[in-house]
Amino acid sequence: MPSDNPLAGHVALVTGAGRGIGRATALRLASLGASVLCVARSRDELESCVAEAGPKAAALPLDITAPDAAQTLIETALTRFGKLDILVLSSGAFHSGTLENLTDTDFGKLFDVNVRAPLSIIRAALPALRDSKGQIAVVNSTIIRAASTAGRGLYAATQAALRSLTDTLRSEINQDGIRVLSVMPGTTATPRQEAIHAAAGKPWHPERLLQPEDVAIALCGALLLPETAEATDIFVRPMMKS
Ligand SMILES: NC(=O)c1ccc[n+]([C@@H]2O[C@H](COP(=O)([O-])OP(=O)(O)OC[C@H]3O[C@@H](n4cnc5c(N)ncnc54)[C@H](OP(=O)(O)O)[C@@H]3O)[C@@H](O)[C@H]2O)c1
């Protein structure tokens, strides 16, 4: 019989847990019984997430791009909960604009938050994940197979880099019993997407988009597979076509 709390005794760390997909995933993991360390910069948003997640959740307000952030995250999880079973990376930023108008600063900042910092966190987590035969879930984007990325080229490049690194990582660490998942959501009704719609002057109809909870359900469903199975890539898209 399936258990009501299949993740009881498991410890998860979720970046981007303040809002959007990361928040929904942190709440879902907590509802499945996991202890969850929730990470983002905005203290208020994290505290709201933790209050909803319940007593087994904790907040760590931190900029993942700061020096030593990766080490701090993992040390905090281990000190607070004693181990780490699940690492979910759902933090990050978006950039719009043509490649011609791109600055080196834009380039460096987006690659730092979307690619370098997640990889750094994964690397810092590996010893603990080896001990627990744990799992890594990286929230990527369906933009990696979009027909046109005009005006979104820098963001698309970070997601393609992240996917490539995730694939390499899987083939390097599966042998240690660690499973690696990439989740590719389509347009999801999060604060980020609302801001993108506003900037483009597009009407905002969140009910027609994927919901953050939909993505969280797909992601957590994959994490619940038996240890003999690994979901590698999940594409999730809105049912309603715009
Ligand atoms: N929404 C979509 O339509 C969509 C579609 C496909 C893929 N995705 C992907 O899904 C993931 C989450 O997207 P979302 O729409 O949920 O994003 P969101 O609403 O913008 O939330 C992003 C989260 O990341 C945190 N974050 C950003 N920069 C950070 C930093 N330097 N240090 C620590 N935390 C940081 C934010 O908190 P603070 O700002 O407080 O730090 C926030 O909690 C992203 O990787 C995105 O590329 C989203």
Side-chain angles (χ1 to χ4, degrees), residues 19 21 41-42 63-64 90 139-140 155 185 188 190 192-193:
R19 53 183 187 268
I21 295 167
R41 290 167 302 182
S42 312
D63 183 340
I64 60 161
S90 186
V139 181
N140 200 295
Y155 174 70
T188 309
T190 70
R192 170 192 299 198
Q193 202 50 246

Side-chain angles (χ1 to χ4, degrees), residues 15-22 39-43 45 62-65 89-93 113-114 139-143 155 159 162 183-193 196:
T15 70
R19 53 183 187 268
I21 295 167
V39 180
R41 290 167 302 182
S42 312
R43 190 178 292 269
E45 290 184 349
L62 188 82
D63 183 340
I64 60 161
T65 66
L89 297 160
S90 186
S91 44
V113 69
N114 286 1
V139 181
N140 200 295
S141 169
T142 49
I143 199 164
Y155 174 70
Q159 300 310 106
L162 192 59
V183 179
M184 274 63 69
T187 309
T188 309
T190 70
R192 170 192 299 198
Q193 202 50 246
I196 293 170

Side-chain angles (χ1 to χ4, degrees), residues 2-242:
S3 151
D4 282 348
N5 287 307
L7 293 179
H10 287 68
V11 176
L13 189 162
V14 181
T15 70
R19 53 183 187 268
I21 295 167
R23 183 182 203 275
T25 303
L27 293 177
R28 179 90 189 155
L29 288 166
S31 77
L32 293 167
S35 300
V36 188
L37 182 63
C38 300
V39 180
R41 290 167 302 182
S42 312
R43 190 178 292 269
D44 291 356
E45 290 184 349
L46 280 183
E47 281 172 1
S48 146
C49 178
V50 166
E52 195 172 331
K56 285 198 289 180
L60 176 59
L62 188 82
D63 183 340
I64 60 161
T65 66
D68 300 328
Q71 222 50 49
T72 304
L73 287 185
I74 305 309
E75 278 167 17
T76 305
L78 295 180
T79 305
R80 173 86 194 225
F81 298 112
K83 63 175 186 147
L84 181 66
D85 302 285
I86 296 168
L87 174 64
V88 178
L89 297 160
S90 186
S91 44
F94 181 74
H95 177 273
S96 67
T98 62
L99 296 185
E100 184 174 8
N101 290 325
L102 195 63
T103 67
D104 287 352
T105 306
D106 296 333
F107 188 92
K109 274 191 176 168
L110 209 71
F111 265 85
D112 199 32
V113 69
N114 286 1
V115 184
R116 187 205 54 81
L119 182 61
S120 184
I121 295 167
I122 289 170
R123 289 165 56 215
L126 285 180
L129 291 173
R130 270 196 191 97
D131 288 346
S132 63
K133 296 207 182 313
Q135 305 199 58
I136 299 168
V138 179
V139 181
N140 200 295
S141 169
T142 49
I143 199 164
I144 60 169
R145 65 179 188 193
S148 168
T149 53
R152 304 178 292 166
L154 178 59
Y155 174 70
T158 62
Q159 300 310 106
L162 192 59
R163 175 80 177 303
S164 172
L165 292 167
T166 306
D167 286 344
T168 301
L169 188 70
R170 181 180 307 109
S171 56
E172 291 177 350
I173 65 175
N174 265 179
Q175 63 199 19
D176 298 328
I178 305 173
R179 290 173 282 170
V180 183
L181 165 70
S182 285
V183 179
M184 274 63 69
T187 309
T188 309
T190 70
R192 170 192 299 198
Q193 202 50 246
E194 186 171 8
I196 293 170
H197 275 67
K202 284 197 212 161
W204 176 239
H205 296 295
E207 71 285 358
R208 296 187 194 165
L209 306 178
L210 268 180
Q211 303 302 304
E213 294 75 18
D214 301 337
V215 182
I217 288 169
L219 189 159
C220 292
L223 295 180
L224 290 174
L225 285 171
E227 280 181 20
T228 44
E230 177 186 48
T232 59
D233 304 88
I234 300 183
F235 286 81
V236 192
R237 60 182 193 174
M239 266 301 284
M240 217 173 281
K241 304 293 168 252
S242 50

